[in-house]
């Protein structure tokens, strides 16, 4: 049986795979350029999930490592879904030493609320205090 391994070593990331998934298959970043993916990875705490040395999952956290974190771009490639890898990946993210004690940890999801609720995520307690600038189709020409 293959084991699922997770680490934060950027040098092991399969960036072409991450780029292909985000730009072609994600529901949130279709059309994103490779240059933007590269810059996002460079400026985030990234988690790669691997089976037999092949990357099959990814997540990144945008954070100041002190007060705030935002989980983004989390995915498991389709042929590896349904094996619990998303939950294992999220557990690794939430247990990472550099992400402990954050005052606020956020994410946006359209369809995985149940997964994130298992780790304490909930709708904002004070949604009236939150604002955003959101450009959902920014990468589509």
């Amino acid at each position: 049986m293959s084991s699922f391994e997770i680490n934060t070593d950027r040098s092991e990331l399969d960036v072409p795979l991450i780029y292909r998934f985000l730009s072609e298959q994600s529901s949130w970043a279709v059309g994103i350029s490779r240059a933007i993916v590269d810059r996002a990875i460079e400026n985030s705490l990234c988690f790669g999930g691997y089976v037999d040395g092949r990357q099959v999952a990814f997540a990144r956290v945008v954070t100041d490592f002190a007060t705030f974190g935002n989980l983004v771009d989390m995915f498991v490639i389709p042929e590896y879904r349904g094996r619990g890898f998303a939950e294992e990946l999220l557990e690794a993210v939430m247990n990472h030493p550099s992400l402990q004690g954050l005052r606020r940890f956020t994410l946006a999801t359209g369809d995985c609320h149940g997964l994130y609720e298992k780790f304490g995520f909930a709708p904002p307690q004070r949604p009236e205090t939150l604002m955003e600038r959101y450009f959902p189709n920014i990468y589509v020409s």
Side-chain angles (χ1 to χ4, degrees):
M1 182 167 172
S2 300
S3 64
F4 184 59
E5 297 179 8
I6 301 165
N7 70 49
T8 57
D9 184 346
R10 274 197 208 109
S11 71
E12 291 188 22
L13 292 173
D14 183 344
V15 179
L17 171 110
I18 296 165
Y19 166 67
R20 277 191 314 275
F21 182 88
L22 292 175
S23 67
E24 298 172 9
Q25 298 179 39
S26 74
S27 61
W28 62 91
V30 168
I32 194 169
S33 73
R34 172 65 190 262
I36 291 174
V37 170
D38 289 344
R39 193 167 69 215
I41 288 171
E42 182 180 322
N43 292 293
S44 301
L45 175 60
C46 298
F47 295 77
Y50 307 88
V51 173
D52 297 330
R54 176 181 180 215
Q55 185 168 356
V56 301
F58 178 73
R60 66 185 183 89
V61 178
V62 180
T63 183
D64 63 5
F65 297 104
T67 65
F68 176 81
N70 185 38
L71 176 64
V72 294
D73 293 341
M74 184 166 153
F75 67 84
V76 175
I77 60 174
E79 58 267 34
Y80 284 86
R81 292 181 184 162
R83 302 181 194 188
F85 294 157
E87 194 164 322
E88 286 185 54
L89 182 58
L90 189 51
E91 185 172 341
V93 170
M94 301 309 297
N95 288 329
H96 192 278
S98 296
L99 301 176
Q100 302 310 299
L102 301 179
R103 182 180 67 238
R104 178 167 287 156
F105 206 137
T106 62
L107 62 84
T109 185
D111 59 359
C112 293
H113 296 80
L115 170 65
Y116 298 116
E117 287 169 352
K118 292 178 187 178
F119 292 87
F121 288 94
Q125 291 182 20
R126 297 174 50 215
E128 69 279 4
T129 67
L130 301 177
M131 297 179 74
E132 69 178 354
R133 290 185 58 196
Y134 181 51
F135 306 96
N137 299 314
I138 197 166
Y139 308 122
V140 179
S141 17

